[in-house]
Amino acid sequence: MIYEALVKPMLFRMEPEEAHDFVLRNLQRIQRQPGLLYLIEKLYGVREEPGLASELLGIRFPSPIGLAAGLDKDARAVPALSSMGFGFMEVGSVTPIGQAGNDRPRLFRLPDDEALINRMGFNNGGIHAMKERLESCNALKIPLGINIGKNKRTPNEKAHEDYTRCLRSLYPYADFFIINLSSPNTPSLRKLQYGSELDELLIRIVAETERLNARHRGDKPVFVKIAPDMDGGELENMIGKIMRHGIPGVIAANTTVTRGGLTHPHREETGGLSGKPLHLKSTEIIRSIYKQSGGTLKIIGSGGIFTARDVYDKIRAGASLVEIYTSFIYKGPRINRQCSSELLDLLKRDGFASLSEAVGADHAAGSGA
């Protein structure tokens, strides 16, 4: 209630990126005081429930709702954000060399549509700055994913060099990695999702991951984050390649460049759209991926998740976990506790003892499969 009554109105009077930076700066100050971190956890933390905890690719997730990449690009506020009831979180996207991103303004609120449009362009401080921050973090209570991308000036034929460099530098600090091929805000990046470019990139990433796992005696999985704007044939082709190359999971999906059904004047801004308008599209993509892979490809659902029902829709469609961003901006940190409580009720209503039992349930029931 504090967020909706006091904090949100103040932040929404600011320019969106100014508000974003303001929040991160203050979270950095808060997390330097252990007593304040404890207070955040008391206010917004989510008690681990056996019915919601799960294990995926060797990683234990205390709850299925995570924080998507983009909010904390440089791992500035990991201790504070990880105390707000998330079951996991992503940092990034990070590139090997720090870059400024696109010109401002580049982040826009669409409150009438409960959406955001961004054309940030992988603005971040680079792998060395992120490494220094993560080295100073104490052990986290939740898994950490690092979302990696390529520098704007790196041509696609050398993209593998950027991705593998990120893997090598940041390997000790992540529980899993996310390969971002799907941001609409870096020129030609989405071309890496197709044809021989995708094959070449995945070959290099898999080889590097296997080498690092052997060297560090680890087993850190890699996910590929995909765009929601592919047609059925393109999606099927990409998922086929991901499976053939042994990538164990995907995040479905990134922001969209479509603008159907929007009412706010900012709908004309270029960039990637996130938020409530993406819910149905991303859920159908999850359904298609689950069906094509027979449930063998692990899916983290992303896009338009505002309620426990939204979470449940994606779980039943085939996602094992979900992640949020835009709803966290609009509804604040209490969203995790609220969704977790209501999700338990939905599972109980349908006779599921655990979240894992509900994954892909729509397919088993014959609806939408």
Side-chain angles (χ1 to χ4, degrees), residues 191-233:
K191 291 181 180 178
L192 291 172
Q193 296 181 121
Y194 307 103
S196 60
E197 285 187 299
L198 179 60
D199 283 311
E200 178 66 20
L201 181 61
L202 294 182
I203 288 169
R204 302 293 189 108
I205 286 171
V206 169
E208 186 65 24
T209 304
E210 290 177 348
R211 189 187 70 81
L212 289 166
N213 281 337
R215 177 183 175 186
H216 294 274
R217 298 181 181 179
D219 189 19
K220 297 185 178 182
V222 170
F223 289 75
V224 173
K225 190 164 189 176
I226 66 174
D229 302 317
M230 293 179 280
D231 64 32

Side-chain angles (χ1 to χ4, degrees), residues 227-291:
D229 302 317
M230 293 179 280
D231 64 32
E234 290 170 336
L235 177 63
E236 184 176 350
N237 184 265
M238 183 180 187
I239 295 304
K241 289 179 181 291
I242 286 172
M243 294 174 64
R244 284 195 297 275
H245 289 290
I247 297 290
V250 296
I251 296 183
N254 211 322
T255 57
T256 180
V257 296
T258 62
R259 295 291 187 267
L262 301 180
T263 60
H264 194 277
H266 282 157
R267 67 184 182 275
E268 303 297 335
E269 296 290 345
T270 59
L273 172 74
S274 64
K276 189 162 284 188
L278 197 55
H279 174 63
L280 291 177
K281 176 181 280 193
S282 62
T283 303
E284 286 308 307
I285 290 169
I286 291 166
R287 198 182 309 280
S288 296
I289 295 170
Y290 188 92
K291 181 179 180 181

